Amino acid sequence: MPATAPTWDPAQYLRHAGHRARPFTDLLARVQDLPADPPRIADLGCGPGNVTVLLADRWPTARITGYDNSPQMLERARQHAGPTPGGGHLDFAPADARTWTPAEPCDLLVSNATLQWIPGHADRFPDWIDHLTPGGTLALQVPGNFDAPSHRLLRELAHSRRWHGRLDGVLRHDDAVLTPEAYLAHLTGTGCTADVWETTYVHLLPGEDAVLDWVKGTGLRPVLAALDDDPEARDAFVEEYRNVLRAAYPAGAHGTPFPFRRVFAVARKPEAATGR
Ligand SMILES: C[S@@+](CC[C@H](N)C(=O)[O-])C[C@H]1O[C@@H](n2cnc3c(N)ncnc32)[C@H](O)[C@@H]1O
């Protein structure tokens, strides 16, 4: 975890909701039939819940719980709680992914754009898979863009002479996510069959300083939290970062192209497993 845990701003995060939801639907597209009907589904790191509701589109009868450790995100997500149109049910609960295990066996455990915040998250896989029903699925997606200019420039600025005294240790470690090959090895090592891939989306973002606007919803949050008690310093940092981002991501006639690599993994537990 970063030294200063970020405070999430659901409204800022949702400003690019369409682009952010696309990897979630691409992830679900690779999930096969679930073993139970109605299925039990957990969404770990559900955020504001706008992608959690998509699970009810795919599995209309499902009992779905979204888990998150941000009170701000959970408050927003709970606007979606209740019965779903297909006869299922959706609710939300606090949980810390670093220690959480499902209270009851899941047919699908999904985690989208969250595990990059959990150092050593692959060590949690055996426990989570143990809590899947036989034939159940663990599906995850993590950003693989820590070497992209957006993140590299953020780290360089935070480590610069002006800022390192205030921001040392605040940003996530470089190895926040694993390689696709490493995810494959971890998941097959538990006895699952696994489907792992990567995609680079080229999001075309609207508006001025569009990449800054995107990062304000996620990667920049630890810095904003660390400088929260000093608005002048916070604004100065954002200004410096804005300038380097403008040079790295020039706006075009139709918006600002923002390449974004993501890594996906879908692991299926064998039907005959007797882990539980
Ligand atoms: C980038 S958002 C992703 C939200 C949602 N899954 C989506 O795809 O839009 C990351 C989420 O992970 C949550 N998170 C970070 N660390 C967590 C932890 N240790 N336990 C539970 N949730 C965590 C954050 O609160 C945030 O809502």
Side-chain angles (χ1 to χ4, degrees):
M1 287 289 282
T4 309
T7 305
W8 292 87
D9 177 346
Q12 181 69 38
Y13 183 73
L14 286 166
R15 283 171 58 80
H16 300 281
H19 286 296
R20 293 195 199 278
R22 166 76 188 279
F24 190 75
T25 52
D26 290 350
L27 178 68
L28 294 192
R30 297 295 299 168
V31 177
Q32 298 173 20
D33 290 345
L34 298 180
D37 189 13
R40 185 81 183 87
I41 300 179
D43 180 9
L44 186 56
C46 61
N50 59 304
V51 299
T52 315
V53 298
L54 302 176
L55 293 161
D57 293 342
R58 171 79 188 273
W59 293 281
T61 61
R63 290 178 299 128
I64 303 163
T65 303
Y67 297 94
D68 207 286
N69 72 345
S70 159
Q72 295 84 0
M73 287 298 204
L74 281 173
E75 185 185 346
R76 181 63 183 246
R78 286 192 171 114
Q79 296 175 6
H80 299 287
T84 58
H89 194 270
L90 181 56
D91 62 9
F92 295 90
D96 187 335
R98 290 172 297 175
T99 52
W100 173 86
T101 47
E104 56 179 303
C106 291
D107 300 295
L108 172 63
L109 197 177
V110 64
S111 186
N112 191 59
T114 292
L115 297 181
Q116 72 277 13
W117 298 100
I118 318 296
H121 53 265
D123 294 339
R124 305 288 296 116
F125 293 167
D127 195 20
W128 292 341
I129 288 165
D130 190 39
H131 284 78
L132 292 176
T133 49
T137 292
L138 168 66
L140 64 94
Q141 181 272 121
V142 289
N145 63 340
F146 289 85
D147 293 327
S150 53
H151 286 62
R152 188 173 41 74
L153 292 169
L154 180 59
R155 284 196 302 273
E156 284 173 10
L157 194 55
H159 295 154
S160 67
R161 183 188 296 266
R162 177 171 183 191
W163 295 107
H164 77 92
R166 304 284 303 266
L167 298 175
D168 196 30
V170 161
L171 292 173
R172 283 166 292 176
H173 43 293
D174 295 347
D175 57 351
V177 301
L178 307 183
T179 62
E181 292 82 355
Y183 283 115
L184 186 72
H186 275 280
L187 293 167
T188 53
T190 65
C192 287
T193 53
D195 175 12
V196 177
W197 71 100
E198 65 176 76
T199 299
T200 298
Y201 298 91
V202 185
H203 300 300
L204 188 59
L205 303 182
E208 263 187 48
D209 294 316
V211 176
L212 177 66
D213 196 59
W214 176 291
V215 181
K216 274 182 175 174
T218 49
L220 187 56
R221 298 221 65 81
V223 171
L224 298 178
L227 300 178
D228 195 41
D229 60 348
D230 187 347
E232 210 173 302
R234 188 190 58 209
D235 292 349
F237 185 94
V238 169
E239 205 48 39
E240 279 189 56
Y241 186 43
R242 180 197 311 277
N243 289 333
V244 291
L245 283 179
R246 275 184 182 169
Y249 297 96
H254 306 289
T256 304
F258 182 40
F260 201 124
R261 175 177 175 259
R262 294 183 182 271
V263 177
F264 301 77
V266 174
R268 191 175 164 107
K269 183 171 175 171
E271 299 280 351
T274 54
R276 292 186 54 76

